Amino acid sequence: MRRDTLSRRSLLAATAGCTLISTSVASVVGNTAQNDGEGVNRDSILVREGTDEETTVSVTTGGADGPTAVVVGGMHGNEVAGYAAAGRIADLTIDAGTLVTVPEANAVAIERGTRNDDEGTNLNRQFPEGETPDTRLARELWDVVSESDPDILIDLHESTGIYAGDPADGVGQAIFHSSGDEAADAATDAADFVTRNHVDDPALAFQTGPFSKPDTDPAGLLAHKAARDLDADGFLAETLSTGVELETRVQWHTAIVERLLEDELLLDADDGSPSEEPVDEEPADPEPEPEEPVDDGADGDESPEAESPIARIGTRPASATETVLEPGQTVTLDASKSRDPDGELVAYEWCVGADGSFEAAGETIEVTIGANGDHPVALRVVDDDGSTDIDRITLSANC
């Protein structure tokens, strides 16, 4: 990536990890600096120490000069694979440069298991470009990022829908990137590599797409601000949060990060596969959605394995899962985006509340929020083979 900028940042990478962060917003955890015997130093730094928002930043410095990378997880508390993978990435051994990792950026939302914090604040909308971040937590996290001055920033997320060119339908299984051919090529290379080596279902192949333009929604994203205010190569990786085992999603996130950082921090590829030349891609045009798999049985005497249905919950208003609702407000839950790859859906079953009972039925239902707090919703779809899938969201209310 941007090798012409590395000489300035290499001097920063060679310093002790604690000097990367302003002591006005964070403190080094006592006696955490370690050397693993191979020239790799590790430090831990606390952000928002002593508050409910307290979280740990890991700083790993390699034995040779190199670029600086920042990896962030847990901006949203219900996107488990992102912060689980970031925790693993914090333990990586690097040969060069500096790796700054924030595994659990939004500790309050992670504790709650919800997208937003207890005041309904979406942390990943608090980073306006060219301006000071909007909340105390966002400001202190931004100080960590800006004083690290990264060459590359990767933010790990999850989505309940698969990206197919329209973010309104979901952004899962996608790597979004900042402008410029190098970032676009790196995203394409990582998407192809992870799909080829770690994805069994063609319908879950990773796509790529450009960041939204400045002054358009969604706005206030950390990765956007890092790319535009700091000239970093920015990436936002999204996995599908439903219908896939957590360990698989964590593996996808980890492989994406390792591929993006392989040349930057001199990481070793973990599977021995030869690297391919990156594919040129127009930044404005995401790759098309892959076709459904075709049965190519040679003799026709072996039945293909039945594919499971895919449950998807949509809401009207569309922002119902991202904003705090008012008690008494009615939300329409819509299952029309659910599908069965090799058949048809025969039932839509809804569980509203925490009792676990799927008592409501229908492709759409209406839910009236009756009290403050979180209201979990689950959709179970059944196909004509009797297979099922479940999607979940949380509606939050506060007067």
Side-chain angles (χ1 to χ4, degrees):
M1 293 182 183
R2 296 187 325 279
R3 298 297 179 184
D4 59 328
T5 68
L6 299 191
S7 59
R8 174 173 63 86
R9 299 173 195 265
S10 296
L11 177 62
L12 181 66
T15 63
C18 62
T19 63
L20 293 171
I21 312 301
S22 169
T23 56
S24 65
V25 299
S27 62
V28 179
V29 178
N31 300 320
T32 60
Q34 299 178 358
N35 188 302
D36 64 4
E38 298 179 357
V40 176
N41 289 297
R42 300 183 186 273
D43 289 285
S44 296
I45 298 168
L46 292 180
V47 170
R48 299 286 289 140
E49 184 177 7
T51 72
D52 290 342
E53 295 176 332
E54 179 179 299
T55 194
T56 300
V57 178
S58 297
V59 182
T60 303
T61 307
D65 290 353
T68 297
V70 174
V71 177
V72 181
M75 296 287 282
H76 296 135
N78 60 348
E79 299 175 7
V80 182
Y83 64 77
R88 294 185 182 181
I89 291 159
D91 293 330
L92 286 177
T93 296
I94 61 174
D95 293 331
T98 300
L99 174 62
V100 180
T101 313
V102 190
E104 299 187 356
N106 195 341
V108 172
I110 289 173
E111 178 68 23
R112 287 161 47 89
T114 57
R115 179 178 177 84
N116 303 329
D117 66 15
D118 52 4
E119 295 181 355
T121 301
N122 184 339
L123 179 58
N124 206 32
R125 299 294 184 271
Q126 309 307 310
F127 300 91
E129 297 159 28
E131 301 178 19
T132 301
D134 294 334
T135 67
R136 181 70 180 270
L137 174 60
R139 288 191 291 273
E140 295 197 10
L141 288 173
W142 179 245
D143 282 341
V144 169
V145 173
S146 61
E147 295 197 30
S148 298
D149 195 16
D151 295 275
I152 178 173
L153 181 140
I154 309 168
D155 193 8
L156 306 181
H157 288 263
E158 296 203 272
S159 175
T160 58
I162 293 179
Y163 179 65
D166 183 358
D169 295 329
V171 290
Q173 302 305 100
I175 304 172
F176 297 92
H177 57 81
S178 54
S179 61
D181 290 342
E182 291 183 352
D185 288 346
T188 298
D189 173 69
D192 290 347
F193 174 83
V194 176
T195 296
R196 184 174 65 252
N197 292 287
H198 299 285
V199 178
D200 296 327
D201 184 351
L204 299 179
F206 277 88
Q207 313 297 306
T208 65
F211 284 170
S212 59
K213 296 180 180 179
D215 302 320
T216 60
D217 290 331
L221 278 65
L222 174 63
H224 292 184
K225 186 174 179 66
R228 291 162 185 162
D229 289 7
L230 303 178
D231 193 32
D233 286 320
F235 300 91
L236 196 155
E238 298 265 5
T239 56
L240 181 66
S241 63
T242 58
V244 181
E245 293 292 333
L246 174 61
E247 179 58 32
T248 299
R249 289 143 47 202
V250 172
Q251 181 188 59
W252 288 341
H253 270 305
T254 304
I256 288 170
V257 172
E258 290 182 342
R259 186 66 173 183
L260 289 171
L261 299 185
E262 183 177 317
D263 293 333
E264 296 298 298
L265 304 183
L266 303 184
L267 295 171
D268 293 326
D270 59 4
D271 66 347
S273 301
S275 298
E276 294 183 355
E277 291 298 321
V279 178
D280 290 334
E281 178 189 64
E282 282 293 328
D285 295 323
E287 298 177 12
E289 186 175 17
E291 296 180 0
E292 295 294 342
V294 177
D295 173 24
D296 60 355
D299 300 321
D301 57 356
E302 293 184 3
S303 299
E305 183 178 352
E307 295 189 58
S308 298
I310 301 172
R312 294 285 180 272
I313 300 176
T315 64
R316 294 194 295 271
S319 62
T321 59
E322 300 183 2
T323 59
V324 177
L325 308 173
E326 297 180 359
Q329 184 173 347
T330 297
V331 177
T332 299
L333 304 176
D334 183 1
S336 61
K337 295 294 185 179
S338 305
R339 61 189 178 91
D340 183 26
D342 60 357
E344 61 180 356
L345 299 177
V346 297
Y348 303 86
E349 303 168 342
W350 299 88
C351 172
V352 180
D355 64 358
S357 301
F358 288 85
E359 296 180 346
E363 189 173 78
T364 63
I365 64 170
E366 290 188 346
V367 174
T368 299
I369 304 300
N372 291 336
D374 292 334
H375 303 270
V377 174
L379 164 68
R380 181 170 62 195
V381 296
V382 184
D383 68 9
D384 50 3
D385 291 324
S387 298
T388 64
D389 186 40
I390 295 177
D391 189 15
R392 304 178 190 274
I393 63 172
T394 299
L395 304 175
S396 299
N398 190 14
C399 61

